[in-house]
Amino acid sequence: MSEIERIPHCSHWGAYTLLVQDGSIVGVEPFAHDPAPSPIIHSVPEWANPKRRVLRPMVRAGWLDKREHSDRRKRGAEKFVPVSWDEATTLVADEIRRVSTTYGNASIFAGSYGWTNSGRLHHASSLLKRMLNLVGGFTRHVDTYSIAAGPVILRHTLGSSDACDGRANTLDTIADHTETLVVFGALSPRTAQTEAGGIGVHRVESYLRKIVDRGIRIVHVSPLKDDMPEWVGAEWWPIRPNTDAALMLGLAGEIVLAGRHARAFLDRCTSGAEQLLAYLDGSADGVRKDAAWAAEICGLDAEAIRKLARRLVETRSMLTASWSLQRAHHGEQPFWAAIGLASIIGQIGLPGGGVGFGYGSLGGVGSPFNIGKSPAISQLTRPIDSFIPVARISDMLLNPGGTFTYEGKTQTYPDTRLVYWAGGNPYHHHQDLNRLAEAWTRPETIIVQDPMFTATAQRADIVLPATTSIERNDIAGNRRSDFVIAMKRAIAPVSESLPDFEIFDRIAGKLGVADSFNEGRDEIGWVRHLYEEVRQDAVGRHGFEMPDFDTFWERGYARCPVRAEHIFLAEFRSNPAAHPLATESGKIVLGSRTLAELGYADCLPHPAWLDRPNGSAEARRPNCI
């Protein structure tokens, strides 16, 4: 037997070393710099199991015979016919050309979601969109399943989604300065194992232990006690599901009732506060939002709510909310209510105070974050701007020409004829799969590009077998990680599978845009180029020296310039006029002129408690500001 090779690599669950012997992976070792590596990394060798893989290009028999006139209801039931790569890429290129010419490029939906691997070159979603942008464009999705309503409301109330993207207070400042930590939802190392674009170091557990060691009082508000580790010793408040906004507003109302709200902060740093205050004290609707009101809705103790309200203004207090809170009816309200409560307390912009979202939702949220450039292949310029909100796939396919509202504007669903899904599985993460199954019969052609024979691939017309990351060269890194990681090819491609970049390059060639797609670079040329962009940005903008590519590739990793001890909105707090937010007022929006003008019944101009809808079809489709 040959000697064991040690191959650096990375996945969504962290960096690691693959131990390879005689062309097979015989072991996985965690990244030496990671204090809390995820055990999920040990599943990586299973990626090469041929029983789970798409082994060769396949075409559904009925579609191969009749093309766009085939019986679409046989998707998922009809047999596949193996074809050569040349035939498969010709079929794909011809379909893109046919649909764009006959119906327009908005009729092509590039549905990829991007989680197939952590590599930034073979990022299937970006490569698909890069190729389609070179031939006229496509319909895209905006926002994510993980968090959609949250960033939309934050963009209008805080001017950006930074507070939920990993740039709120870093956890080191909470560990050092916070005295009262209120966790709405989860804050657990269990859910912090993953990170888009990979992660070098898992730090959530380390910060939690520092928080515990300092004796910070932790109030954990969640229906599930294990949303925080038992060893944290948090005070558990078993709230009724989906009532977090009511508790936040009740706490804020108690503070206002006692006359202890931060009037100076509200006047200087917020706009529309008078609307929120009128709602809290009941002058707007005749209902005072206080501890008794919240307790009845949330199933909690009113006196405990009163005591917590007093403590929030007496101590340095930090509010955190999981991304999961906005995955519900009126999902924007708990995020906006948390901002409202934090503003009433008045500690936004102070060390260890304020509000942040998503701690523990991904591994990098709350850790020191990369202030340099992250490796990414450009999707190029979009020739058209046709889009849908991410979870409206079924609505789009079932209602061509129908309308929806997004950020206060009315948009139209395209007439989708072609769906190209690369590196994702909507039958795994989409809501109401029966409705999706019906919608899935509407497009004339569905192309799926994936390493695995997923439920989505089984329901395709054309299936293209992509390699997994362990069968190609790539680079991992993202804005929430302080490392970039070399992802070296460890084994040969399984059967006839090809790297995503090569698949799209072949299709681009048949569409006549290969030169613009590949820019004269092969796989390793692109990996080198992406790394050099990161390195040059680090030294040019931040004076931070990173090793040259060859050293990085040999070592397997490089550190990035990062910011630790970050205090969210500190500069804004110190001088709102000099550091205005990108909102309608330049301040934190607690009462929105935009929403007042729109007059939505299901999204008031201020944070509010809106009970669950009555189940009507209209109620199930809320407006999006």
Side-chain angles (χ1 to χ4, degrees), residues 144-322:
T144 72
Y145 282 92
S146 296
I147 183 166
V152 171
I153 197 69
L154 294 185
R155 289 198 291 267
H156 287 267
T157 56
L158 294 180
S160 76
S161 59
D162 283 355
C164 67
D165 291 342
R167 300 205 172 197
N169 294 349
T170 45
L171 285 166
D172 48 14
T173 67
I174 296 172
D176 289 342
H177 300 283
T178 300
E179 295 170 297
T180 303
L181 175 64
V182 184
V183 176
F184 293 91
L187 206 174
S188 172
R190 182 189 66 222
T191 53
Q193 294 179 73
T194 63
E195 179 59 72
I199 186 170
V201 179
H202 294 85
R203 290 191 170 92
V204 169
E205 180 175 341
S206 300
Y207 287 128
L208 275 178
R209 293 196 181 277
K210 289 181 179 179
I211 287 169
V212 171
D213 290 344
R214 264 198 68 230
I216 296 171
R217 181 184 174 189
I218 304 170
V219 176
H220 178 215
V221 182
S222 174
L224 301 176
K225 189 174 184 180
D226 66 357
D227 271 345
M228 290 196 77
E230 186 175 358
W231 53 262
V232 170
E235 179 183 328
W236 178 42
W237 287 23
I239 193 170
R240 185 170 291 134
N242 298 329
T243 63
D244 301 82
L247 176 57
M248 296 169 184
L249 293 166
L251 288 164
E254 279 292 326
I255 295 170
V256 172
L257 178 63
R260 304 190 70 184
H261 50 295
R263 293 184 179 89
F265 179 85
L266 293 173
D267 291 342
R268 195 166 63 92
C269 297
T270 75
S271 65
E274 64 281 355
Q275 297 178 55
L276 176 58
L277 292 173
Y279 177 72
L280 294 174
D281 68 19
S283 59
D285 61 1
V287 178
R288 180 180 290 280
K289 316 306 180 298
D290 57 13
W293 171 84
E296 183 176 356
I297 294 170
C298 304
L300 298 171
D301 180 69
E303 184 56 27
I305 296 173
R306 292 187 189 98
K307 290 180 178 179
L308 179 58
R310 291 194 291 269
R311 182 177 174 88
L312 289 175
V313 296
E314 292 170 352
T315 63
R316 185 58 53 84
S317 300
M318 179 70 191
L319 312 176
T320 77
S322 297

Side-chain angles (χ1 to χ4, degrees), residues 404-454:
F404 64 93
T405 60
Y406 182 80
E407 301 209 12
K409 297 180 181 179
T410 299
Q411 309 285 349
T412 302
Y413 290 121
D415 179 12
T416 305
R417 302 295 176 128
L418 168 62
V419 172
Y420 195 148
W421 211 288
N425 183 12
Y427 276 86
H428 172 70
H429 61 239
H430 192 67
Q431 73 277 18
D432 196 344
L433 293 186
N434 289 329
R435 190 163 181 261
L436 177 63
E438 174 60 29
W440 209 247
T441 67
R442 301 303 177 92
E444 294 172 344
T445 302
I446 295 176
I447 303 165
V448 173
Q449 181 172 316
D450 201 276
M452 308 296 174
F453 233 126
T454 65

Side-chain angles (χ1 to χ4, degrees), residues 340-359:
L341 174 56
S343 297
I344 293 290
I345 298 168
Q347 297 181 20
I348 294 173
L350 296 178
V355 63
F357 306 91
Y359 298 102

